[in-house]
Amino acid sequence: MNLDVFTLFPQWFDWFREQRHVANALALGHSLDCIDPRASTPLNWGQVDDTPFGGGAGMVLRVDVMEAALRARYGADPVELRTTRRVIALTPGGRLLDDALAGELAQEPALTLLCGRYEGFDERILENFVSDEVSIGRYVLAGGELAAMVVLDAVLRKLPGVLGKDESAVEESFSQALEGGLEYPHYTRPAEWRGWTVPEVLLSGHHERIREWRREQSRRRSLP
Ligand SMILES: C[S@@+](CC[C@H](N)C(=O)[O-])C[C@H]1O[C@@H](n2cnc3c(N)ncnc32)[C@H](O)[C@@H]1O
């Protein structure tokens, strides 16, 4: 999978790239590139934003700057680009990220993520250059970088070979294996601590009973 993030703060992703599962993905041949719109801005002194028409606080990311950045990267009109590639703007009001969306995005060969800053995007960017708007929750962050990392994290861990063991992602909260429900509880050593014990069945070595107990726990936890 080819992942491009348009951000004014590419260095934020240095840490992200070093995390085990992201490093695994890169070693497997997936790519994660950060593109700074300042590098291709047609304006002087690296300008990328401007004051909002109509007044008000904050700065707005300019449509001409975003077009230049997308053209420089892909050599295509961004209006056309979004018909051949998922171009996702991170916005507080976008489609809420959930497991189904992460799974959908994990099927794509390539994704482009646009990180807003300050007051956000000129509306014409959202109307004309993007295929999706995605939100990681109904609250406002200072910028789209953390939101992009959340989306990438949820997507990357669904790719084969990225987690230490692929089974880890099969039977977990919201997965098909658990009928979309929550995961069952886990315990590890010691088997008893301050009188708090582990359910007997998990120590029994009886795989079928353990499977049934886990399914039942998952169903109970998932009740509305
Ligand atoms: C300070 S926010 C802009 C908020 C915008 N003025 C509003 O009220 O909706 C700056 C940028 O952070 C990103 N952002 C903030 N909260 C987000 C969220 N919950 N999900 C995804 N992106 C978010 C977006 O890229 C946004 O353009």
Side-chain angles (χ1 to χ4, degrees):
M1 185 179 239
N2 162 228
L3 302 162
D4 285 351
V5 182
F6 285 69
T7 169
L8 297 173
F9 298 92
Q11 69 280 8
W12 281 46
F13 291 81
D14 294 347
W15 169 85
F16 184 66
R17 264 198 207 86
E18 286 169 8
Q19 303 315 302
R20 175 68 67 85
H21 59 303
V22 183
N24 286 347
L26 299 180
L28 284 168
H30 303 290
S31 67
L32 170 58
D33 292 326
C34 290
I35 298 100
D36 185 345
R38 281 190 208 285
S40 52
T41 179
L43 307 173
N44 289 332
W45 304 296
Q47 185 186 350
V48 291
D49 52 11
D50 225 319
T51 52
F53 283 131
M59 300 293 274
V60 177
L61 289 172
R62 287 176 54 137
V63 63
D64 51 349
V65 170
M66 199 50 83
E67 171 156 347
L70 289 162
R71 276 188 187 273
R73 178 70 177 173
Y74 303 110
D77 184 341
V79 175
E80 305 300 329
L81 180 72
R82 70 169 176 179
T83 64
T84 57
R85 181 179 174 110
R86 296 284 280 265
V87 180
I88 300 168
L90 282 317
T91 61
R95 176 175 167 190
L96 275 177
L97 179 66
D98 60 10
D99 193 63
L101 177 55
E104 186 185 314
L105 296 178
Q107 303 299 318
E108 296 286 336
L111 296 176
T112 295
L113 302 185
L114 307 184
C115 302
R117 272 274 153 182
Y118 319 118
E119 270 313 301
F121 301 98
D122 183 302
E123 192 64 17
R124 292 166 291 183
I125 297 173
L126 303 177
E127 285 172 353
N128 299 296
F129 298 164
V130 314
S131 57
D132 307 72
E133 288 183 45
V134 171
S135 169
I136 63 160
R138 296 295 186 237
Y139 43 80
V140 178
L141 302 166
E145 286 73 17
L146 289 175
M149 287 186 225
V150 169
V151 172
L152 293 174
D153 192 295
V155 169
L156 285 174
R157 66 194 303 286
K158 291 198 177 284
L159 302 180
V162 164
L163 298 180
K165 290 183 177 171
D166 280 342
E167 310 94 86
S168 315
V170 172
E171 206 168 89
E172 64 181 359
S173 296
F174 318 116
S175 63
Q176 276 183 354
L178 296 180
E179 296 157 5
L182 298 178
E183 201 186 38
Y184 41 81
H186 293 289
Y187 299 86
T188 186
R189 293 178 186 82
E192 193 256 310
W193 180 253
R194 296 180 58 187
W196 304 321
T197 55
V198 170
E200 265 311 310
V201 62
L202 296 178
L203 308 174
S204 69
H206 195 300
H207 297 301
E208 193 47 42
R209 279 181 50 213
I210 293 172
R211 199 170 302 123
E212 279 166 23
W213 181 86
R214 286 179 164 165
R215 288 289 149 86
E216 179 52 26
Q217 292 294 314
S218 168
R219 276 188 206 111
R220 275 197 212 171
R221 289 185 155 196
S222 309
L223 291 174

